[in-house]
Amino acid sequence: MTYEGAKPPYPLFIHLDGERVVVVGAGAVAQRKIETLLEYGARVTAIAPEATERIRSFAEAGDIAFIERPYEEGDLEGALLAVVATSSQSVNEQVFEEASRLRILVNVVDVPPLCNCIVPSIMRRGQLQIAVSTVGAAPSVAREIRRSLESQFPAYWEDYIELLGQVRALVKRRVPGEASVRTPLFEAVGSAGIEHRLAAGEKITAQQVYDEVVAPLVEGGRL
């Protein structure tokens, strides 16, 4: 929870794939939150007396569960995370109190004192994710930093990170020994300028990278 003199929150990425997440509220803000949560594989339950057409369409398609009534005590049972997007201070406080009692992560949108976790502004390129947070002090600044990062890491970085992961898997299969033996190989791949070739439109496979960068080091005994 944010308060004067508190320590800053500990940055942490959480796997939500298959985890129950309760969203209290079903308006435009909740809709954006739900769309993002679904991208990360969460099992979303939305609770609200009314909902946007988009949220209703998610429910009709079976993508989420929608409980069409106000939040009630006990709605958070079994959840890993609760996201609250309502204009009701009393509801916000009730959800926060239940989540705190059950030791559930809770984020009340735009109300930092009623949060035990922060949802950052995220720059994402496939498996590459960079999260930016000002802990609620200046959200617009966090968004500007994210936009700056998006220009620094163009779309081809998604392919680049995916390729590095494939090369890493090849190296781990083919080069035996302690992890420290493979570290110089990974560093060589990372400094080989592959991202610039991808930016220029070149199609590169993991095998190519292995043959061009890794194999000469292994065969030449330069580990």
Side-chain angles (χ1 to χ4, degrees):
M1 185 165 64
T2 302
Y3 54 88
E4 187 176 353
K7 296 291 185 182
Y10 180 73
L12 182 69
F13 286 93
I14 300 175
H15 288 287
L16 289 180
D17 193 16
E19 296 289 348
R20 182 171 191 256
V21 176
V22 174
V23 177
V24 179
V29 174
Q31 177 181 305
R32 291 195 297 272
K33 299 296 182 181
I34 289 170
E35 289 170 343
T36 301
L37 290 165
L38 290 175
E39 290 179 12
Y40 286 87
R43 293 188 298 111
V44 177
T45 297
I47 303 171
E50 298 179 355
T52 66
E53 288 303 313
R54 177 71 166 158
I55 290 176
R56 290 185 183 278
S57 70
F58 282 142
E60 291 168 3
D63 296 325
I64 69 170
F66 175 47
I67 301 175
E68 195 169 359
R69 60 160 171 75
Y71 156 82
E72 296 177 359
E73 184 80 15
D75 282 341
L76 304 188
E77 286 288 346
L80 175 65
L81 168 67
V83 177
V84 190
T86 82
S87 58
S88 170
Q89 179 68 11
S90 63
V91 171
N92 293 345
E93 291 176 351
Q94 288 173 42
V95 178
F96 176 74
E97 289 171 5
E98 181 181 0
S100 298
R101 187 173 66 256
L102 296 177
R103 310 300 292 175
I104 292 171
L105 295 173
V106 58
N107 178 267
V108 179
V109 179
D110 292 334
V111 189
L114 297 182
C115 299
N116 61 21
C117 65
I118 302 296
V119 179
S121 186
I122 301 171
M123 192 291 298
R124 185 179 180 189
R125 294 287 184 256
Q127 296 183 72
L128 172 64
Q129 298 187 99
I130 302 176
V132 181
S133 173
T134 59
V135 198
S140 60
V141 172
R143 286 193 293 271
E144 285 302 314
I145 293 173
R146 187 204 70 216
R147 293 189 186 108
S148 175
L149 289 169
E150 287 172 344
S151 66
Q152 293 178 53
F153 299 91
Y156 68 81
W157 271 78
E158 179 172 348
D159 295 331
Y160 177 50
I161 296 299
E162 178 67 26
L163 180 60
L164 291 183
Q166 295 170 0
V167 174
R168 183 179 181 85
L170 274 181
V171 172
K172 291 177 74 172
R173 286 201 305 268
R174 297 178 180 179
V175 181
E178 299 293 327
S180 58
V181 172
R182 292 181 288 275
T183 298
L185 301 177
F186 298 142
E187 292 174 346
V189 171
S191 61
I194 298 167
E195 70 274 25
H196 303 302
R197 294 164 62 183
L198 291 172
E202 185 177 348
K203 302 296 183 183
I204 308 173
T205 67
Q207 185 62 56
Q208 276 181 269
V209 176
Y210 187 92
D211 291 342
E212 295 174 12
V213 182
V214 179
L217 295 176
V218 174
E219 295 165 5
R222 289 180 288 167
L223 292 180

